[in-house]
Amino acid sequence: MSYRFVAIDVDGTLLDNNKNLNQYTKDTIQRCIAKGITVCICTGRPVQTIDRFVDLLGGQEFPAIQEMPFILYNGAMVAVGREHKIIFEQPLSENAGKTLLSLGQKLGSTLIAWSKSNLYVNEFNDRIKNYCTITPVEPLLITDPEKLAKQGITKMIWYDDAKRMPTLIDAVNTDQVSQEINYFTSNPLFLELVDKRCSKGLAMDQLIRHLGIPREETIAIGDGYNDIPMLKFAGLGIAMGNACDAVKAAANAVTDTNDNDGVAKALVRYFNL
């Protein structure tokens, strides 16, 4: 099979355990793009991520990288290049947004909501300070939850203790809102909540339709539970060597770990670089 597209997760996949991109992976991605392969970065991070990763991957010296597509917010948005041209976006419904803000507040979680590319929080605390080191955006305090839900929430995060995650998931599953949303635990401390019509796999489908690339000519590479939808959707799903057994079971193949050039090795092998 000749593949024309690859979607690559970020944390635990593209980046090593120190959150660094090694030179071999960077060079290999550039070789893919030079060969005409569409390389898409997939992440739960917001649209502001695009500029950082364009620079990280060498956009200054390799201009084609500036036109890369990105799947963001765990599939709630697809945007292209430095212009942040949005080709797909699916926020939570007003009802789901309002319900999740209320429910999360009652449960005592720290709430993070992305809306119109702005970061909203229900309180300023150490968790928010930590989150803003990962995503350096100035947070805004939620003063009117109903207004925020009405304007549209692209993604919400309940930031809490890892030991409380089962309780939070049970609360979501036992509420009627569960019929309207998808949720992921991309980080042991984050319960990420998006619209039911959103996942990395569904976003990947939107993107390749836009590009005119058949599903069977696509590859996806990831390590987390939130990567399973795209691993199953792709023509070839590749799990990282550091992924858990459930993620590996959802894939067609397994590459090396993120600390040992797993992404680069997969690209070299399956794109015949």
Side-chain angles (χ1 to χ4, degrees):
M1 173 61 68
S2 178
Y3 297 104
R4 298 166 53 196
F5 175 99
V6 59
I8 306 171
D9 171 54
V10 173
D11 296 303
T13 302
L14 178 69
L15 304 181
D16 65 23
N17 287 334
N18 292 317
K19 304 295 183 184
N20 294 321
L21 174 68
N22 69 49
Q23 189 64 43
Y24 180 46
T25 299
K26 176 180 174 178
D27 292 344
T28 305
I29 287 173
Q30 291 185 1
R31 287 165 61 198
C32 269
I33 294 171
K35 192 176 178 180
I37 306 302
T38 299
V39 178
C40 172
I41 302 301
C42 301
T43 178
R45 300 184 194 196
V47 70
Q48 288 87 345
T49 295
I50 291 177
D51 294 340
R52 181 200 166 198
F53 279 94
V54 165
D55 290 339
L56 192 64
L57 290 164
Q60 296 296 333
E61 65 268 22
F62 199 86
I65 288 173
Q66 299 191 31
E67 301 303 319
M68 283 178 67
F70 285 75
I71 291 173
L72 305 158
Y73 302 108
N74 269 321
M77 181 185 288
V78 179
V80 178
R82 282 204 190 275
E83 294 184 358
H84 302 181
K85 181 181 177 183
I86 297 172
I87 62 173
F88 170 76
E89 183 176 12
Q90 182 58 64
L92 290 162
S93 70
E94 182 179 349
N95 175 67
K98 189 162 54 176
T99 301
L100 292 170
L101 286 171
S102 176
L103 185 58
Q105 186 75 31
K106 287 177 184 176
L107 290 165
S109 288
T110 296
L111 306 184
I112 294 168
W114 285 96
S115 177
K116 307 297 181 186
S117 299
N118 291 315
L119 170 62
Y120 294 87
V121 300
N122 67 331
E123 58 184 326
F124 297 113
N125 57 21
D126 288 342
R127 287 174 176 164
I128 296 303
K129 288 179 183 177
N130 180 63
Y131 184 79
C132 288
T133 64
I134 304 168
T135 306
V137 176
E138 190 69 29
L140 304 171
L141 188 66
I142 299 170
T143 56
D144 188 338
E146 291 195 8
K147 182 179 179 181
L148 179 60
K150 188 171 185 177
Q151 78 179 26
I153 296 172
T154 310
K155 185 181 79 165
M156 192 182 303
I157 300 173
W158 292 356
Y159 189 163
D160 215 309
D161 296 333
K163 64 184 179 183
R164 291 232 309 148
M165 280 299 142
T167 300
L168 302 183
I169 291 169
D170 285 345
V172 169
N173 283 333
T174 54
D175 193 282
Q176 271 194 323
V177 77
S178 64
Q179 304 302 311
E180 299 183 52
I181 64 166
N182 276 334
Y183 61 81
F184 313 94
T185 51
S186 59
N187 176 309
L189 306 178
F190 295 170
L191 182 61
E192 305 201 13
L193 306 142
V194 295
D195 186 82
K196 190 74 173 178
R197 291 159 288 184
C198 300
S199 72
K200 289 185 179 181
L202 292 170
M204 186 173 161
D205 186 23
Q206 291 284 340
L207 177 55
I208 65 169
R209 287 174 187 270
H210 175 78
L211 297 172
I213 297 174
R215 177 179 180 179
E216 58 269 20
E217 295 179 11
T218 67
I219 293 175
I221 309 174
D223 75 300
Y225 287 105
N226 61 327
D227 296 319
I228 288 176
M230 72 173 184
L231 295 179
K232 288 185 172 181
F233 174 80
L236 178 68
I238 304 174
M240 298 297 292
N242 48 286
C244 68
D245 289 344
V247 175
K248 290 176 180 176
N252 307 108
V254 178
T255 187
D256 213 329
T257 68
N258 62 321
D259 274 341
N260 201 29
D261 302 320
V263 165
K265 289 175 180 177
L267 296 178
V268 168
R269 177 177 179 182
Y270 292 104
F271 289 110
N272 299 313
L273 298 177

